[in-house]
Amino acid sequence: MRSVFCIAITVMFSLASPARGETPLAKAFADAWQRQPATAALAERQRAVAARLGAASALTAAAPSLELGVRSDQFNRNRGALESDLGLVLPLWLPGERSGARAAAEAEDVALAGRAESLRLQLAQLVRDAWWGWQAQQNEVALAADRLGAARRLRDDVARRFAAGDLSRADLNQADGVLSQVRAQQAETEAAEALARYRLESLTGAPAAAADGQSEAFPAQVGEAHPLLREWQGRADLARRNADLARVQSRSNPELAVATRSDRAASGERADQTWALSLRIPFGDGPRHDARVATANAEAIEATVEFERLRERLGREAEASRRQVAAARQQLAATEERARLARENRGYYEKSFRLGETDLPARLRIEAEAFEAERALGRARIALGQGISQLRQSLGLLPE
């Protein structure tokens, strides 16, 4: 009896997302899947499995063969003696071989479907990694643009106070240096964003679409088998069916032959026709058969053990991902509060600096704190979206 293993993991979240259409991430995954070599070859693999199913349902173990033979005395006595043979050879199934071959072909069909799902999930991991890497770099580019604007405002304020005699040339030079540094950082982040976008587009083959702040939906409850488990379950079942088939195939297939012979002793005499029915039964393969059975058993054991280990690992990964999402939520709440306070402080110090109540070092410190708070907030948002994606990945869910 085929065992069906399922990994049932319930994931509860305090917030639920509304139903949405296809996200840019899901579109990127769909584009990437269409470009995979496995997608192009999948139809032919399915056709091969269907052909094996048809062969297992045939009446004979292999295709019948036709035997033709002629014997004459033309090259010695040349009396007109002629003997011709015509026969049909039918390879027969061994006991239990036909049902075993059909079961193996059906198991291969299931294993192929599981393999296709597993490949889709593996590709989803690559696309998710590239996608969130690009999102992180986009966040850095946006932060660099904001910091450049703040650096320009700071430089303008310093220039005004320098013109009024409140600040020295050294302060103005320091503000110009900060502006130049921010411009260099902006160029660096734009280069990193271009590289991350190239990595994503090399998978999808299409221009990367803006995410507009969207992330994947939170998984609610998952109770169906993981694609990787279905793949290895199919492999294990196929290996067991092949082992059963190998035990049955202890010898070559018997052959049933139906033949007719036309015999003429000499030229001008009447030809006699006879019929023959024969059965060819090969001996057992002995050590060769034992080797095939042992190899098939080893593959079945290996696939079964791998399936069990994979089931344990996937359960632990799902639990770890769930905890990481919960931690990312807490981190996001903390960074949002920190960014709010940093923005308020920056507004206070910008106003006081313009009024000459705050010196330049204090203004620079507040600007740096505000920038780091905004960077932490952006990274926390990316981390939460990436954590949800990784949770869906560990549960065997594709991008949506």
Side-chain angles (χ1 to χ4, degrees), residues 126-317:
L126 297 176
V127 174
R128 280 170 167 141
D129 291 343
W131 172 266
W132 289 109
W134 179 50
Q135 294 302 300
Q137 292 303 323
Q138 278 194 312
N139 177 68
E140 293 294 328
V141 169
L143 287 174
D146 292 341
R147 192 176 188 187
L148 180 60
R152 284 172 175 166
R153 290 193 301 271
L154 174 62
R155 198 270 179 193
D156 294 340
D157 291 341
V158 172
R160 251 189 327 266
R161 291 186 60 182
F162 170 72
D166 294 338
L167 295 177
S168 65
R169 167 64 68 178
D171 293 328
L172 181 59
N173 290 342
Q174 187 175 7
D176 287 334
V178 170
L179 181 59
S180 299
Q181 180 183 7
V182 171
R183 284 173 175 167
Q185 292 175 348
Q186 184 186 37
E188 182 179 355
T189 57
E190 288 176 351
E193 187 273 339
L195 179 59
R197 186 176 66 252
Y198 164 75
R199 290 172 178 168
L200 176 62
E201 291 176 352
S202 65
L203 289 173
T204 63
D212 296 330
Q214 285 186 328
S215 62
E216 294 189 75
F218 300 121
Q221 184 172 353
V222 180
E224 62 183 49
H226 194 285
L228 294 180
L229 289 180
R230 285 198 290 268
E231 177 193 6
W232 280 99
Q233 180 182 353
R235 288 190 183 187
D237 188 43
L238 176 59
R240 286 191 294 267
R241 299 299 184 185
N242 285 334
D244 294 340
L245 182 59
R247 279 188 286 271
V248 171
Q249 293 174 329
S250 58
R251 65 189 69 212
S252 299
N253 293 95
E255 292 179 347
L256 178 66
V258 179
T260 180
R261 174 176 295 176
S262 178
D263 187 8
R264 185 183 66 189
S267 179
E269 295 186 5
R270 180 180 179 181
D272 295 328
Q273 186 174 14
T274 58
W275 290 86
L277 180 65
S278 62
L279 179 63
R280 177 177 172 272
I281 302 178
F283 290 113
D285 286 343
R288 288 184 291 271
H289 172 253
D290 295 339
R292 290 195 300 270
V293 172
T295 300
N297 285 334
E299 293 177 354
I301 293 172
E302 182 179 355
T304 301
V305 173
E306 179 66 25
F307 171 79
E308 294 295 336
R309 297 296 176 268
L310 180 62
R311 184 172 61 170
E312 296 174 2
R313 178 171 62 83
L314 290 176
R316 293 190 179 96
E317 285 184 358

Side-chain angles (χ1 to χ4, degrees), residues 302-363:
E302 182 179 355
T304 301
V305 173
E306 179 66 25
F307 171 79
E308 294 295 336
R309 297 296 176 268
L310 180 62
R311 184 172 61 170
E312 296 174 2
R313 178 171 62 83
L314 290 176
R316 293 190 179 96
E317 285 184 358
E319 179 62 21
S321 297
R322 185 186 66 82
R323 293 180 181 273
Q324 288 176 352
V325 169
R329 287 184 178 279
Q330 296 177 358
Q331 183 180 7
L332 178 59
T335 55
E336 285 176 342
E337 179 65 15
R338 177 191 174 190
R340 183 185 66 81
L341 296 175
R343 284 192 292 268
E344 289 182 1
N345 285 340
R346 183 171 62 179
Y348 297 150
Y349 274 86
E350 282 183 356
K351 182 177 180 180
S352 64
F353 183 78
R354 293 191 190 98
L355 297 175
E357 299 173 355
T358 303
D359 58 7
L360 182 59
R363 173 73 186 276

